[in-house]
Amino acid sequence: MGAGAAVLSYGLLIAARIVAAPPTVVAPSGPPVSGAAAVPPAATVCLPAAPVVGLGVVDPFHVPPPAATQLNADGKVLYRQGRWDEARAKYRAAEAADPDFLAPALNVACSFVRQERFGEAIAEVLRLLDRAFLPWSEEVLSAADLGALKVRPEGKQLRTVLSEGRFRWAEGLQGDVILVARTRAPLKLGTPGTAEAALVLGPRQEIFAWSPRTRRYRQLTSEEGRVLAVARSSDGRRISYATAEKLIRGPGSGVALRGVVLKELELGTLSALGRGILQGDVRSLQVLTVGTGFAYRIERATGFVTYRFKDGGLEPSAVPRKLSAAVSLTGHGVAKGVAAIPLPGGCEGTARDVRDANAVATVWVRGKGRGPEITIGGPFGAGLTGLPIP
């Protein structure tokens, strides 16, 4: 994807809010990331009154104002004309209009590559990744106009930063609350018709981790907004999640999911532990916790089959029938919220799913014996295990 097209794709993607208010902190362990800023200190106080310095962003659901997106769009026009300096001026102005809007930084990097100013391009990429490794590492990898950078000597530095940045982004995730949140308002599917229909899903949902020590978010997936459900292992060290491409809806209440993919991820390294594609239409999916891992009970029109990951792939596997589901997903989404779970990482308190008077899903966090709840997950909806399909 060229940077000109990138403006359209990234125009509503959001970035970081930098909040400086460090309380008592300790230095993190591990090597620094090449070419990036030093890892910020990790807070030791649970549920501080306001966000503090740490990994991640304060508001990943922030939408840039029209002035910033217009400047970015103006830069796109100049970019397509090869007027690099003028395009960069517009991109810089867009970022100045909204420092939380990071899409212009990627476009600036692409413009430098088009001029073969590779050192300046890599500097822009490093700045971008340092602010929000995900989703921007995925965007960097897929940006066609950065292709020339990737095959040059500077590309080795970029690959090193991407590898080290993943481990850096994973630091301390076991102490965070895991949730599914919408980055923007979801696409509505409308009223069922009289004939079967395959509807493309657009829930705009990804998995985030929220730290009770810094009150910052880290995005953990970049799945084109198709994450429908997430479960956490009993030891808190890994997650399992499901994505789907289409909703199959027929007359009456018959619904199913098509193009379902299951993935397992290790939180300590953000390394993929398994990936499996479920063939056929899935009427229901139950994620079961088995020991410190997962099993999957899948219902299709032909009946139920249970799977587990082995050597990175799904294989049929018998599990005790008495196991209850940690998460249940159907064509209606994850309809049932979580009553309450303890905060991870030694923080006293709970996180729970709530529905407000308008049936908007969100997550509340509250410390033990402390005042009002902290609402997390943004204005578009969030759930500890998933959300209903709109």
Side-chain angles (χ1 to χ4, degrees):
M1 177 184 298
V7 177
L8 299 176
S9 301
Y10 309 146
L12 289 178
L13 285 173
I14 31 68
R17 292 184 183 273
I18 301 299
V19 176
T24 304
V25 296
V26 294
S29 59
V33 179
S34 301
V39 177
T44 59
V45 177
C46 291
L47 300 178
V52 301
V53 173
L55 286 170
V57 302
V58 173
D59 184 9
F61 315 107
H62 166 72
V63 176
T69 56
Q70 184 59 56
L71 286 165
N72 197 40
D74 293 342
K76 173 197 68 175
V77 174
L78 296 166
Y79 185 102
R80 289 174 172 171
Q81 296 172 357
R83 296 159 64 180
W84 314 116
D85 291 338
E86 295 171 79
R88 275 193 296 273
K90 293 292 186 180
Y91 293 143
R92 301 288 193 199
E95 197 170 355
D98 181 1
D100 296 344
F101 185 29
L102 292 188
L106 181 64
N107 295 324
V108 168
C110 290
S111 74
F112 280 132
V113 171
R114 293 295 298 271
Q115 289 185 288
E116 299 187 352
R117 295 164 62 175
F118 299 109
E120 291 161 288
I122 196 73
E124 290 293 331
V125 169
L126 298 184
R127 181 172 69 88
L128 183 60
L129 296 180
D130 189 58
R131 292 283 299 278
F133 182 77
L134 279 171
W136 294 103
S137 57
E138 298 294 329
E139 305 293 355
V140 166
L141 288 172
S142 63
D145 279 13
L146 292 181
L149 176 65
K150 299 167 190 175
V151 298
R152 286 184 51 80
E154 292 87 352
K156 182 178 181 180
Q157 182 186 6
L158 177 59
R159 289 189 293 274
T160 299
V161 169
L162 287 170
S163 177
E164 294 178 348
R166 177 167 55 86
F167 287 98
R168 175 177 181 255
W169 199 243
E171 287 183 359
L173 283 177
Q174 293 177 36
D176 287 3
V177 177
I178 304 299
L179 66 156
V180 175
R182 290 181 180 138
T183 59
R184 284 181 283 160
L187 300 178
K188 303 291 185 179
L189 293 177
T191 304
T194 57
E196 181 176 284
L199 307 173
V200 176
L201 286 169
R204 294 168 169 171
Q205 296 172 183
E206 299 288 353
I207 299 174
F208 292 83
W210 182 84
S211 169
R213 289 181 171 80
T214 66
R215 294 182 60 168
R216 287 175 175 270
Y217 296 86
R218 280 177 277 180
Q219 187 169 329
L220 303 187
T221 58
S222 186
E223 297 284 358
E224 299 181 339
R226 290 176 175 167
V227 176
L228 297 182
V230 65
R232 191 167 190 169
S233 62
S234 59
D235 62 1
R237 295 177 179 271
R238 64 174 64 180
I239 59 173
S240 166
Y241 66 94
T243 64
E245 294 182 357
K246 294 181 180 180
L247 178 68
I248 308 304
R249 194 160 61 182
S253 59
V255 291
L257 297 169
R258 183 175 294 172
V260 176
V261 178
L262 295 173
K263 294 184 181 181
E264 293 185 10
L265 198 67
E266 183 179 50
L267 289 179
T269 61
L270 290 180
S271 299
L273 300 174
R275 180 182 184 275
I277 300 174
L278 297 179
Q279 302 297 330
D281 294 344
V282 175
R283 293 183 175 180
S284 69
L285 159 65
Q286 294 182 334
V287 184
L288 316 171
T289 53
V290 181
T292 58
F294 302 99
Y296 307 93
R297 185 178 292 135
I298 310 300
E299 179 191 6
R300 300 184 180 90
T302 54
F304 289 87
V305 180
T306 304
Y307 298 93
R308 296 186 70 176
F309 277 105
K310 182 178 180 181
D311 298 326
L314 285 174
E315 292 189 1
S317 175
V319 298
R321 291 189 177 183
K322 64 180 181 180
L323 289 177
S324 59
V327 181
S328 294
L329 173 66
T330 69
H332 300 288
V334 175
K336 185 179 179 180
V338 176
I341 59 170
L343 292 179
C347 285
E348 293 188 336
T350 58
R352 61 191 178 100
D353 285 323
V354 295
R355 302 287 191 272
D356 67 14
N358 298 315
V360 175
T362 190
V363 177
W364 281 358
V365 172
R366 185 174 185 178
K368 183 178 181 180
R370 293 187 57 176
E373 290 91 350
I374 300 170
T375 301
I376 65 173
F380 308 112
L384 291 170
T385 56
L387 291 159
I389 292 175

